[in-house]
């Protein structure tokens, strides 16, 4: 039976899922995850990040990622018991925005990877920069300002590339590299995002990128899905020849190179363009229609949705990326997610059951009281000074605080995603916070939508396996709709539905207005001022 492999190189680990597909069935037949810190201690990473003297700098090692890829395939062959001759296609996802710098001659070296030597011994010679800046890096504020100004202001940059300038985005990182190490930049022949770098290792040549991950660079014209000349000029000289091509997301970018077919006796399976972890997750959580949203309640809370046309967040905090289906997706990220929920839970000495009980003991709307839960500086809306604001109650009020934090978070996910939505009636909820039913009740009532809970844990890897299948079919001229791709494997079970209660919906319609007007005096403008 045909097998499809999906990989996800996230910040902390490499995860792979093998999917078996038949006419009537699609099933995850093998899954494995390699944690970078635990499995590759010689790199000295902490949560996947290398130590750095500057707290704003966050870098990782492309050699580590390559070694993880090697180890993953070794384990797959040794431990999976699968008939790997049936492996038809591989695709992948990776943490977004990170960049890998290849030196002149790296293309020729990639074509001649030696199957008798591990990748970790061969990748260092490909690099013009030993370390890769990743999305947690916040050291490029000056470059963001310079790029924004050169392109004509924050709105112009947002309309051109789908996002304002963000420190973690690749363009500002490239500009910083050019400014601080011009010789290194001159030696660089190719700048990959993490996803196209790993795809290049698989196909043994420079792989292209696609509009999902390219949009995380502040360099791509979001409407045309081509490099945006004004953004390239604002970033660094002679940049375009250093960037990979942008191809449609279902493109076959090559086949497993002889390194893989010789070293692991794998078939020369197709490699479908890799993308970013967020675009990949849209498929992995079954989000294939624009009238739905996915909300992930994790370390940070994220909301994403598909769009038929690119639309832009007036607050400037949201991002527009290309979507795996060839259209667009919106992503909004809230920094005060699990952390804020846990702070409140811990202050009152509650476990999650006690937290849920406190929620159900208090009433929707919190009797008109509400909280702005900025335990940390916030991304959405942009708030640069942390500080929790309570309206109508104090720190000692258990019900007020528990309900206050959840209602504030859910109102934020509604108010700050209004710009992206087309009358959303269904939400796919995922992440640790989605395990608490009472939280999903608040979500359903604030959004006036049916909420379904997903059981998927590795949604980016699952999305990659499904994209491998879709890319294989498309490449052979077989039509496969996205609804078909996710059916019975990435869809939330119908039994998990939480429906909105009309009375509570009316209460929140009122409270959302009070919340939005209270917030306006705390939000920072694009120049960082209140
Ligand atoms: C998205 C972002 C993160 C990374 C994490 O803009 O920065 O979600 O993709 O892997």
């Amino acid at each position: 039976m045909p097998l499809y492999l999906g990989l996800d190189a996230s910040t902390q680990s490499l995860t792979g899922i093998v999917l078996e597909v038949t006419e009537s069935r699609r099933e995850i037949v093998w899954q494995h995850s390699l944690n970078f810190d635990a499995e590759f201690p010689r790199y000295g990473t902490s949560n996947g990040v290398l130590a750095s003297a500057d707290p704003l700098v966050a870098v990782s090692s492309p050699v580590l990622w390559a070694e993880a890829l090697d180890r993953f395939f070794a384990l797959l062959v040794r431990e999976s018991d699968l008939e790997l001759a049936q492996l038809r296609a591989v695709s992948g996802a990776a943490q977004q925005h990170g960049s890998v710098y290849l030196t002149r001659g790296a293309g020729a070296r990639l074509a001649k990877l030696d199957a008798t030597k591990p990748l970790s011994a061969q990748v260092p010679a490909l690099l013009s920069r030993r370390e890769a800046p990743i999305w947690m890096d916040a050291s490029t504020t000056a470059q963001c300002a310079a790029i924004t100004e050169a392109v004509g202001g924050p709105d112009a940059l947002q309309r051109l590339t789908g996002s304002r300038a963000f420190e973690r985005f690749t363009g500002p990182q490239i500009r910083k590299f050019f400014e601080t190490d011009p010789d290194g930049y001159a030696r660089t022949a190719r700048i990959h995002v993490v996803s196209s770098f790993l795809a290049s290792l698989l196909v043994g040549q420079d792989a292209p990128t696609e509009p999902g991950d390219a949009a995380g660079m502040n360099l791509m014209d979001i409407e045309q899905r081509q490099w945006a000349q004004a953004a390239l000029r604002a970033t660094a000289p002679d940049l375009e020849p250093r960037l990979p091509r942008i191809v449609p997301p279902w493109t076959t970018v090559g086949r497993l190179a002889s390194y893989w077919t010789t070293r692991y006796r794998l078939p020369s399976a197709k490699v479908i363009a890799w993308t970013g972890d967020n675009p990949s997750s849209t498929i992995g959580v079954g989000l294939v229609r624009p009238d739905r949203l996915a909300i992930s309640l994790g370390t940070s809370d994220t909301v994403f949705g598909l769009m038929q046309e690119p639309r832009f967040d007036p607050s400037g905090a949201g991002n527009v990326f290309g979507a795996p289906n060839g259209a667009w997706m919106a992503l909004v990220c809230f920094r005060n997610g699990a952390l804020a929920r846990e702070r409140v839970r811990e202050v009152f000495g509650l476990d999650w059951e006690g937290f849920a009980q406190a929620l159900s003991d208090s009433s929707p709307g919190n009797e008109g009281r509400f909280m702005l839960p900025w335990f940390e500086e916030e991304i959405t809306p942009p708030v640069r000074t942390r500080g929790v604001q309570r309206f109508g109650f104090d720190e000692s009020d258990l019900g007020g605080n528990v309900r206050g934090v959840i209602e504030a978070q859910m109102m934020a996910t509604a108010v700050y995603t209004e710009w992206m939505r087309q009358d959303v009636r269904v939400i796919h909820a995922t992440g640790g916070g989605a395990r608490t039913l009472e939280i999903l009740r608040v979500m359903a009532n604030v959004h006036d939508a049916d909420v379904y809970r997903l059981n998927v844990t590795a949604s980016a890897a699952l999305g990659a396996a499904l994209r491998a299948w879709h890319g294989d079919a498309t490449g052979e001229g077989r039509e496969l709709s996205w609804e078909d791709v996710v059916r019975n494997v990435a869809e939330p079970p119908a039994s998990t539905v939480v429906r909105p209660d009309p009375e509570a919906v009316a209460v929140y319609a009122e409270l959302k207005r009070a919340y939005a007007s209270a917030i306006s005096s705390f939000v920072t403008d694009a120049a960082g001022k209140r």
Side-chain angles (χ1 to χ4, degrees), residues 9 29 74-75 100 123-124 153 176 192 217 231 237 254-255 319-320 458 480 524:
V29 288
L75 282 166
V100 179
V123 166
K176 182 180 160 197
H192 277 295
M217 300 177 85
R255 289 183 172 267
N319 307 125
V320 182
L480 185 57
T524 329

Side-chain angles (χ1 to χ4, degrees), residues 33 71 101 246 251 293 295 300 307 401 403 408 437 444 453 491:
S33 198
R71 176 93 54 92
Y101 298 74
I246 304 173
T251 304
L293 282 184
I295 301 186
S300 55
M307 299 188 295
N401 280 279
R403 187 160 276 283
L437 186 64
R453 179 173 35 196
E491 289 173 313

Side-chain angles (χ1 to χ4, degrees), residues 11 95-97 135 168 277-278 319 321 331:
T11 316
Q95 54 172 312
Q96 295 199 251
H97 318 297
W135 68 280
R168 68 187 192 283
D277 50 5
N278 292 296
N319 307 125
F321 299 145
L331 175 88

Side-chain angles (χ1 to χ4, degrees), residues 253-277:
V253 298
R255 289 183 172 267
L256 283 182
S258 67
Y259 179 83
W260 307 97
T261 56
T262 309
R263 192 172 169 90
Y264 299 112
R265 295 179 209 286
L266 290 166
S268 59
K270 289 178 188 164
V271 177
I272 309 301
W274 282 44
T275 186
D277 50 5

Side-chain angles (χ1 to χ4, degrees), residues 359 362 366 369-373 393 398-409 411:
L359 260 179
S362 52
N366 220 358
R369 307 171 301 174
F370 61 92
M371 179 195 271
L372 303 180
F393 63 105
L398 183 140
N401 280 279
V402 169
R403 187 160 276 283
V405 70
I406 297 301
E407 289 187 342
Q409 291 179 326
M411 285 195 288

